[in-house]
Amino acid sequence: MQIEVLEEANPPGAEDVTAGLRAHVIEKTGPLPLIPLTLLLRDDENRVRGGIRGAIALCWLQVDHFWIDEALRGQGYGSRLLDMAEEAARTHGAIGAQLTTSTFQAEEFYRKQGYAEIGRLKDRPPGHDRIWMAKRWG
């Protein structure tokens, strides 16, 4: 047996790891759907000015990336995008949403949206913390 250390985004064999993990999860939980979810905020010139990328997996919405152009922050777009992502997840049977943020990012925004801290990793990066947050519906 040998171990390779590869520093590229999608090296040959990487999908085998994902497929192996997915097969294990299905064995333990049954065939729960994995639904990719992307919401895009576009301006009048059709440029993307914000959005959410994530997935509905294991009955939860997982928000992986959430960005709003700095010029548009504080105008309600973030709340609308998050509400719409949560609603889309609910239609697929999700029972809540989870995400991570950092102390230099949007911790207070998420708290205002009803998310609670469920974990914290200090010094990621040094001087800041990574925060895991979740919101369970009903």
Side-chain angles (χ1 to χ4, degrees):
M1 298 298 290
Q2 60 182 345
I3 297 174
E4 295 176 90
V5 177
L6 307 165
E7 295 183 354
E8 53 191 277
N10 290 303
E15 285 301 318
D16 296 336
V17 175
T18 301
L21 178 59
R22 192 168 289 135
H24 173 74
V25 169
I26 289 170
E27 178 185 322
K28 299 297 181 186
T29 67
L32 295 170
L34 172 63
I35 302 164
L37 184 64
T38 300
L39 291 84
L40 299 175
L41 174 64
R42 294 183 184 269
D43 65 16
D44 293 338
E45 285 82 42
N46 207 32
R47 292 176 300 178
V48 174
R49 303 290 299 276
I52 292 176
R53 294 188 67 200
I56 302 152
L58 303 175
C59 299
W60 283 77
L61 168 62
Q62 171 65 48
V63 176
D64 294 319
H65 301 105
F66 188 179
W67 167 75
I68 301 290
D69 187 301
E70 197 161 343
L72 299 175
R73 293 178 190 165
Q75 299 178 41
Y77 294 113
S79 297
R80 285 177 48 205
L81 279 167
L82 193 54
D83 287 345
M84 291 175 73
E86 290 174 2
E87 185 56 34
R90 278 190 204 90
T91 66
H92 291 286
I95 61 172
Q98 61 173 327
L99 52 85
T100 61
T101 190
S102 294
T103 50
F104 62 86
Q105 291 177 312
E107 176 183 2
E108 288 309 310
F109 167 79
Y110 293 119
R111 289 188 193 285
K112 289 177 185 174
Q113 305 305 312
Y115 286 74
E117 181 175 326
I118 59 172
R120 183 177 288 250
L121 179 62
K122 299 252 183 233
D123 290 322
R124 187 184 183 263
H128 300 281
D129 297 347
R130 191 72 173 157
I131 305 164
W132 280 261
M133 302 184 89
K135 176 180 179 180
R136 189 177 184 121
W137 304 309

